[in-house]
Amino acid sequence: MGIRYNWQKDEILAIYNTPFLELVYQAATVHRQFHNPKQIQVCKLISIKTGGCPEDCGYCAQSSRYKTEVKPEALLEKDTVLNIAKKAKETGVSRVCMGAAWREVRDNSQFEQVLDMVKDVTSMGLEVCCTLGMLTANQAQNLEDAGLYAYNHNLDTSEEYYSTVITTRTYGDRLNTIENVRTTNVTVCSGGILGLGESIEDRVGMLYTLSNLQPHPESVPINILSQVEGTPLANQPAVPIWEVVRMIATARIIMPTSDVRLSAGRAKLSQVEQALCFMAGANSIFSSDDNKMLTVTTPCPDYDADRQMLNLLGLEMRPPFEKQGKTPAGQVTE
Ligand code: SF4
């Protein structure tokens, strides 16, 4: 099967609803055609600016609108970020994702500091991803010039359900930022969250939008909601593992070349459940040294536990810059 950018919602729904084992088999088959099934990309997320965000994303502990455990912090010092990145690299991590709880990037000294961090972490031989909120084409260019490998900007859910979860920006704003990133060679990381109270049609709707982007996002994170006390979505029921696997498998089949990332919520899954996700085509994870992913409320398995799991499953960590022929300087070589 080739790569398609014209998937229809009914086709995606039919894939999602395929009998479970058949679906996993089909996804595993596609996975083997387009990827080395032994390799898993391991990423480290660093929250470079935590809390105090003016946006109202109903799932987020960092929104200033909700009373959560997260307290606003200043932008991290570059040396702190470099130390975390160095430690991550020593454990085999290939990508460092730097997240700031901003609505949008402003052309100020803080952005200059982030550009500096991107430059220095890239020169350590690591792929760098940023998630900084909305971005102009010019700012995307500045990030590319600093060596940025990827920009994360999630769609979260379907266009129809989006305003139930977030009111301070629109789906169109999200797509606009993705388009701005696409004016550069920086790769796109965009996915969503399961467990927001969305219907299966909403999940399909999100995959429809992602799979109709040309090219597809190089990275598609599938997150499972971490219910954070104090947020509007604190009481959402847990997502059954079967639905997580269905979502991963469907994303794998319709966006065969993308990395599908098992992201937030992985700490809640057993190793057997994670193995099922890898079988269904997930080939990227976040790992950490402090059991924290983004904030105090989003747990993440630690490096040792993950190394042990990958060994157990006969999987290996993918080295940096192995995909898309990108070099540390951020130039596409093929
Ligand atoms: S998800 Fe991002 S944009 Fe939304 S409130 Fe949290 S930090 Fe802000």
Side-chain angles (χ1 to χ4, degrees), residues 305-323:
D306 281 335
R307 199 173 307 111
Q308 183 262 340
M309 176 181 69
L310 295 183
N311 283 342
L312 184 72
L313 299 175
L315 297 171
E316 55 197 41
M317 292 177 167
R318 186 170 88 201
F321 303 104
E322 212 175 84
K323 277 194 84 189

Side-chain angles (χ1 to χ4, degrees), residues 47-57 60-75 99-104 106 110 132 168 294-296:
S47 181
I48 57 171
K49 161 68 186 87
T50 303
C53 182
E55 300 286 76
D56 71 349
C57 309
C60 184
Q62 303 201 70
S63 169
S64 57
R65 294 165 193 252
Y66 313 129
K67 271 208 172 73
T68 69
E69 279 180 33
V70 175
K71 301 281 165 275
E73 289 173 16
L75 185 67
W102 290 336
R103 168 177 164 76
E104 70 223 315
R106 303 232 167 96
Q110 296 219 332
L132 311 170
T168 47
L294 186 58
T295 68
V296 286

